[in-house]
Structure formats: structure tokens, C-alpha cells
Amino acid sequence: MSWGTELWDQYDNLAIHTNKGIEFLDKYANFIRDRLTIETEYAAKLRRLVKNYQPKKKEEEDNEFTSWQAFRKVLNEISDLAGQREVVAESLQLQIIQGISLLSKTLREERKKCLANGTYLHQNLTTQLAALERAKRNYEKAYRDSEKAVENYKKADMDLNLSRAEVERYKNIMTAKIQQSDDAKNEYANQLQKSNNLQQQHYHELLPEVFNRLQELDEKRTRGIREFIIGAADVESSVAPIIARCLEGMVKAGESINEKEDSYKVIERYQSGFTPPGDIPFEDLSKMDTLDTSQESHYNHVQSSHLTVKGTISANKIKKRVGIFNIFGSNKEDFSDLPPNQRRKKLQAKIAELQQKIQQETAARDGLMKMKVVYEANSSLGNPMTVEGQLNESEHKLEKLKMDLKKYQGYLEKANQIPIANNSPQANRTHSMNNGHRSSRHSNGSTEDNNYDGDFQPDDAGSLSSSSASPESGLGTSHTSLPGSAHGSTHENAMGEDAYYETEMEPLQPLGTCRALYPFEATSEGSIPMNEGEELQVIEIDQGDGWTRVRRINNTNGWDEGFVPTSYIECTLYA
């Protein structure tokens, strides 16, 4: 079945059909372009998603948990998945879009040539048919004229009144008209033969060739669409195994999560090493003298009346601020302000870091020494004096690192010798209560002892606390309070400058007033909320950590004390 045979008279419809076919090919090309754009945008959004959810630097310590490690693996697999979508987009561009563009251009050019050839053939046939029509009209006219001339001659020959000369004239006219008619007849016959030959050749050879060429072009276009659709699917199939591996990697990442291991790591990270407090013994007040009984009764009354639900001392206890938002944070070189377990972990990590640096610096020094030997053996390669300075600097760094390593090893040895139980704040607080006295150290280093028995040592392990950042307080220490307040000296425990809190029998005198510029919601222990425009008393100014200690008078407990952001208030201090 061919178009030239079956559709010999459908030139215009074939022209329209082939044009629609090429337009459909272009439409499919636009579809692939839009899909390519979607693939590119999808890959870009996946990469942006991975970037946005990459762990921050401050979250690096959480990478030890299996859930975090699994999530990072998932992010890597998503990144690889984005890469495969980019491969799909690139392959669609190179293999499909460019192929369609080339095919469309070729088809349009070939179709244009075919239609131009068909138009030329139609014009030739039309011209020949027009010539045939003219020859036919000429023959018809000449034939009518000849018949009329014959009729006139016959009349003249029968008319006795006409001379012989006139009859001869009519005869000559008849002869001429008959000759013209015969010539027109021959011309018409020749044009008819030529037209028939041309028409037969046009509809059986020339035009079918054009239509068959159009059929080949349309089949080529159809075949191309089939190949492009299959090719687009092959592009997707080529990355399917990699995408499947990415999905398998995500599944393996999820299966690698171990809740028990993460729970153990939480214990490793936050375990302080303290032991829970023991039972508080019964105190027989009848065996104590009058002064001790009075002081202890007042102390116990204050403690019992101001214990919160969490078991911490509330408003009338002065809370010091070391690391309000950084439990187990340390600012000391030997990490002595951390709980025992955390201190040992920090020291071990520091020692491992120094050992690694020593190893790297040793390798660098050995490399410089080899370079110096080579330069000394062959001065054309370089001046050994240029390496001498670097070698000396490396030796100096190495010596400093070794000294630091020895120092931290000493810290670790001392930390391993400290009994854990004796450092428990609760145990120390219980021990202090059992001895029937309170002890605190002022910021100037002096020790205040309210025990009348005289058996308390300032550096005893039974002080109120030994770690500034124990989770038992959730609060930090401040430095010294402002001078001039009635009870504003900052007390510290017998182990050093750090303490969780200490008990004051009377509130601090206000240093001024402040007004809340913005509302603040207390989200951490040790801070208090405030409303915009609220007036508060300032009892301790900002010590450089961005927090100011304030007091609010209420009708329930007498007052509330806590810390608020310095940038949220406007202070007016007393002269």
C-alpha cells in the first residue's frame, strides 16, 4: 500500500497531514524539554534539601548516635539520587532533544522539496491541459468555419446568377477553410496525445513518486517518535539500578539504627559519675545546744518552705550562673569544673588530639630533615638553610605539644585518683547538714563557717558542691556580685570558685530598677518570665554573659528572682 497509488488525488490532504506530523514531533520535543526542566529543578531542589539539612558544626558531637549517622547516610543517598536525576536531564538533552531537532529540521526540508516538486508537476499538467483546451477550441472554430464555407460554395454553385469567377472564389474559400480545419484537427490531436501522455505519466509515475517520498518522510517521523519514546525510557532505565542502590542504601541506613547503642551513648555523654544521695539521717535537736538548734531550725525551715517540685532551691536561694545554657560546659584548662566522668572523657579526648598532632608534626619534621639531607648532598636542588628555619619551628611545635601532652596526662592521672562518690553535690550537701553547719567561701577566698564545733575544713570534700555545671542545678555561677549590697558577696564552695547555689537568709538589696522592653518567656531553669513594660528590681548586673538578675515582688512567696536577657530590659541604677 502506497500513497502514490491509493491517494493519487489527495495532494492537499497529504500536504496537511505531513505538516501536522512534523508539528506533533515538535510538540513531543517540547514535552521532553518540559520534562528535562522538571528533572533539573527536582535535582536542584534535592541538593538544596540535602544542603539545608546537613548537620551544623555545633551538632557534630551528635554524629556518634546511630540515628544521626543513618540520617547522614540518607542525605548522601539523596545527593546521589539528585545526581542521577541530573544524568537523566543531561541524557534527555543530548540524546532526545538534539535528535528530535535534527529530525524535525530534515523532515521539514525534505517535505518542502517534495511539495515544491509536486507543485511543479501540477503546473506542467495544468499548462498542457490548457494548451489542449486551446487546440480543441481552435479545431472547433475551424471546423465550423469549414462547414460554413462548404455550404456557401454549394449555394454559389447552384446559383445561376453568379459568375464563374465568384463561384471559383467561394470554392477557394472553402478549400482554405477545410485546410485550416484539418490543421486545427491535427493540432488538437497532437495536443491531446501529449496531454494524455503527460497526464498518464503525472498520475502513474511523477506524482506517485512525490507522494511515496512524503510517505517515507512521514514513516520516518513516526519511526523517530517511537525510537525517541523508547530512548527516553532507556535513559530512565539506565539510572534505575543506581537509584535502586540509593534506595537500598537508605534502607540499610535505617536498619543500622540501634536504639540500645544510642541509649548507651547518651549515658556515656551525660553521665556525671556521681552516686545518688543516701538517706538523710534523723537529727535529734534535743542534743544540740540552743544556738545550733535555732540556726538549724531556721535553715531547715527556709529549705523546706522553698523547695520546688524539682527539688531545687527557689527564690530565697541565690543561684549562681555558670553555664546557664551549657550543662557540663567548661572554661578551665584541666576541666576540673566538670563532673568526674565528663572530665575524664574531655581529658582523654584532649590527649588523643595531642597525640595525633604530635604524630603529624613528627612526620612533617622527618620530611623536613630528609629534605635538608638531600639539599646538603646536592646544593643544586635547593639551599639547606631555607629548611633550617622550618625545621626549628617544627621542633619547637613538637616540644610544646609534648609538654601539653605530659600536662594533660598528669591531669588525667589526678582525675582518676579522685573518689567519685565524695564529689557528689547531694552527698556533700547531706554531709554538710549532718555536721549541723553551713560553709561557704567568699569571692575573696575567705571561708565563712557557721559551725561552732570548729571541726570543718575549708578544703574538705564535703562542701556544698564540687562542680559548677552539674545537672543537679542546671545553673551556672557568676563572678563577684556588686559591692555595696547588704548580702551581695558571691559565695563559692570549699573545692574552688564554682558552686550550684548557696543559701542566704535575707534577700539582696536592689541595685536599681529596670523596665522590660520586650516580653520574655523563661525556657530554662534559673530564668524568670516577664511582660513588656513590667517594672522589676535589679539585684545583680550583667557580668558579661548577657544576663541580668532581677526580682519581682508578688503576694505568694514574697518575691521571685531569676535571670533575664540584658538586651530585653532598660536599667536605671541607683546612684
Side-chain angles (χ1 to χ4, degrees), residues 3 7 10-19 111 211 214:
W3 288 5
L7 303 176
Q10 299 297 320
Y11 175 84
D12 293 337
N13 288 332
L14 290 180
I16 294 173
H17 172 76
T18 52
N19 183 59
R111 176 181 176 276
F211 286 179
L214 287 175

Side-chain angles (χ1 to χ4, degrees), residues 360-385:
Q360 294 174 352
E361 195 62 36
T362 301
R365 182 199 62 183
D366 294 344
L368 290 172
M369 292 179 67
K370 291 179 181 179
M371 188 182 299
K372 181 180 179 183
V373 171
V374 172
Y375 286 174
E376 289 175 348
N378 188 355
S379 59
S380 62
L381 297 176
N383 186 1
M385 297 305 296

Side-chain angles (χ1 to χ4, degrees), residues 346-359:
K346 291 285 187 180
L347 290 173
Q348 290 170 355
K350 186 68 175 180
I351 289 173
E353 178 185 354
L354 290 173
Q355 289 173 343
Q356 183 179 5
K357 289 183 178 180
I358 289 174
Q359 184 178 0

Side-chain angles (χ1 to χ4, degrees), residues 266-274 328 339-342 345:
V266 172
I267 295 175
E268 284 293 313
R269 174 181 294 187
Y270 297 113
Q271 186 181 28
S272 66
F274 294 141
F328 296 157
N341 273 17
Q342 302 301 322
K345 285 182 61 177

Side-chain angles (χ1 to χ4, degrees), residues 33 70 140 143 157 190 200 239 245 266 280 304 307 328 345 356 379 395 461 524 536 546 567:
R33 288 190 183 93
E140 290 176 351
Y143 178 76
D157 187 45
N190 291 333
Q200 184 177 10
V239 300
R245 286 198 294 271
V266 172
I280 301 176
S304 62
L307 281 176
F328 296 157
K345 285 182 61 177
Q356 183 179 5
S379 59
E395 289 284 357
S524 61
L536 303 169
S567 58

